[in-house]
Amino acid sequence: SKYGRTEMEEAWKSMEVDILRRLHKVGIPVPTPYAFVEGVLLMELIKDSRGNPAPRLVDVRFSPKDAEQMLKTLVHYVAKTLCEGVVHGDLSDFNILIGTEGPIIIDFPQATDPANNNNARKLLLRDVKNITYFLGRFNRKLKKYRYGPEMWSLYENGKLTPETKLTGRF
């Protein structure tokens, strides 16, 4: 029904805002949500060092060393997000902005709770693979890392913490 669709949309909006606030509280760089206007979530504008809208990860070129550091940073954020009970579900080089302080993760409408979704493992593995393969274009050795399976195994066994140092070996 029209009422049911409206209620579902309101729940979805609320969920994304709640996730953004939760992640921000634990130090994961996400935009600050401000309000909904005509069904659109208004958030903080992420800027680059010149004050322009920040580029997406896909629009940035990296040296091999910078690609490796970026991957480590993003994998750490994904692990912290998982510890907070969230799997992004659509993380890729299109959903990460490069702001003045580093990467900012955006676009959480498909986020899911790993404890309550049978597909969470598959989504997490895909999220990590997406960023690993993108950054692997700038540093081929990155493609050998298996951060996703390592992270999920630690999570499943109750051993993943926000401070866990992942090796990429599994």
Side-chain angles (χ1 to χ4, degrees), residues 80-93:
K80 281 181 76 170
T81 301
L82 182 58
C83 288
E84 189 57 30
V86 176
V87 172
H88 187 285
D90 189 30
L91 190 61
S92 73
D93 40 312

Side-chain angles (χ1 to χ4, degrees), residues 35-56:
F36 279 102
V37 176
E38 297 180 17
V40 175
L41 176 58
L42 297 179
M43 292 181 274
E44 166 189 19
L45 174 62
I46 307 301
K47 298 178 184 178
D48 68 12
S49 60
R50 291 181 296 226
N52 297 315
R56 299 170 303 173

Side-chain angles (χ1 to χ4, degrees), residues 68 71-72 75 128 132 141-154 164-170:
E68 185 169 14
L71 180 60
K72 287 179 182 178
V75 163
V128 175
T132 300
K141 79 174 191 173
L142 301 181
K143 290 183 181 182
K144 71 177 182 173
Y145 290 125
R146 303 204 20 146
Y147 287 114
E150 176 189 16
M151 190 185 308
W152 187 262
S153 177
L154 291 167
T164 299
K165 299 287 185 215
L166 298 167
T167 64
R169 286 180 240 115
F170 181 74

Side-chain angles (χ1 to χ4, degrees), residues 41-111:
L41 176 58
L42 297 179
M43 292 181 274
E44 166 189 19
L45 174 62
I46 307 301
K47 298 178 184 178
D48 68 12
S49 60
R50 291 181 296 226
N52 297 315
R56 299 170 303 173
L57 186 67
V58 71
D59 299 319
V60 177
R61 298 288 169 245
F62 294 91
S63 70
K65 182 180 177 184
D66 289 344
E68 185 169 14
Q69 185 55 52
M70 180 61 67
L71 180 60
K72 287 179 182 178
T73 298
L74 290 170
V75 163
H76 175 70
Y77 292 154
V78 171
K80 281 181 76 170
T81 301
L82 182 58
C83 288
E84 189 57 30
V86 176
V87 172
H88 187 285
D90 189 30
L91 190 61
S92 73
D93 40 312
F94 292 94
N95 291 331
I96 300 167
L97 302 177
I98 305 300
T100 56
E101 302 295 315
I104 310 289
I105 301 172
I106 63 169
D107 201 16
F108 284 85
Q110 287 136 8

